[in-house]
């Protein structure tokens, strides 16, 4: 009987995990759809097309621009539709921030000790 009870508990837990995973996907899909609709309202057709092309090449840049646009819209900074030129300006800001954060500088300090010409055979 213990094996049957254990199996029933396992099945119930498995069913619960499946339901939780399904529910999470629906929530994420709803958020993406809402985000997409908000961006469609904020951006002009040309700007939406440009942003979709950017997302194909550099998704991290596109995500940052989208987040920036949504925050600006929620705070009331955007009063009309964003044009393609304005989107390019935002993209320039984002790309400088991202490239500045990921740029590292390596400096080599080499000790040069050439006292005599004996070290070199010509």
């Amino acid at each position: 009987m213990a094996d049957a009870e254990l199996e029933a508990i396992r099945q119930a837990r498995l069913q619960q995990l499946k339901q939780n995973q399904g529910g999470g996907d629906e929530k994420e899909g709803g958020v993406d759809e809402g985000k997409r609709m908000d961006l469609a309202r904020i951006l002009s057709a040309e700007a939406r097309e440009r942003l979709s092309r950017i997302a194909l090449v550099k998704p991290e840049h596109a995500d940052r621009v989208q987040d920036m646009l949504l925050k600006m819209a929620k705070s009331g900074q955007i009063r009309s539709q964003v044009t393609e030129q304005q989107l390019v300006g935002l993209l320039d800001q984002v790309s400088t921030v991202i490239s500045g954060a990921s740029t590292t500088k390596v400096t080599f300090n080499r000790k040069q000790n050439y006292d005599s010409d004996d070290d070199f055979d010509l």
Side-chain angles (χ1 to χ4, degrees), residues 101-115:
S102 64
T103 302
T104 58
K105 184 177 179 181
V106 178
T107 305
F108 292 99
N109 293 326
R110 295 188 177 143
K111 184 176 179 182
Q112 295 183 359
N113 189 8
Y114 300 115
D115 292 336

Side-chain angles (χ1 to χ4, degrees), residues 56-68:
L56 292 173
V57 179
K58 295 188 178 185
E60 65 276 356
H61 284 55
D63 289 342
R64 289 229 178 159
V65 169
Q66 288 174 357
D67 291 342
M68 186 184 299

Side-chain angles (χ1 to χ4, degrees), residues 30-48:
V31 170
D32 286 342
E33 186 64 30
K35 187 176 179 180
R36 214 173 306 136
M37 290 179 68
D38 289 342
L39 287 171
R41 191 171 23 95
I42 295 169
L43 297 172
S44 67
E46 296 85 14
R48 272 197 316 268

Side-chain angles (χ1 to χ4, degrees), residues 7-75:
E7 187 60 32
I9 292 171
R10 284 183 184 161
Q11 290 298 325
R13 180 70 177 143
L14 182 62
Q15 187 68 18
Q16 183 183 15
L17 288 173
K18 285 182 182 179
Q19 287 176 352
N20 288 343
Q21 288 176 349
D25 291 341
E26 290 173 11
K27 288 180 185 177
E28 291 174 11
V31 170
D32 286 342
E33 186 64 30
K35 187 176 179 180
R36 214 173 306 136
M37 290 179 68
D38 289 342
L39 287 171
R41 191 171 23 95
I42 295 169
L43 297 172
S44 67
E46 296 85 14
R48 272 197 316 268
E49 182 181 341
R50 180 122 186 187
L51 188 59
S52 66
R53 287 193 314 256
I54 291 167
L56 292 173
V57 179
K58 295 188 178 185
E60 65 276 356
H61 284 55
D63 289 342
R64 289 229 178 159
V65 169
Q66 288 174 357
D67 291 342
M68 186 184 299
L69 285 168
L70 292 172
K71 285 179 185 176
M72 290 171 66
K74 286 181 182 178
S75 66

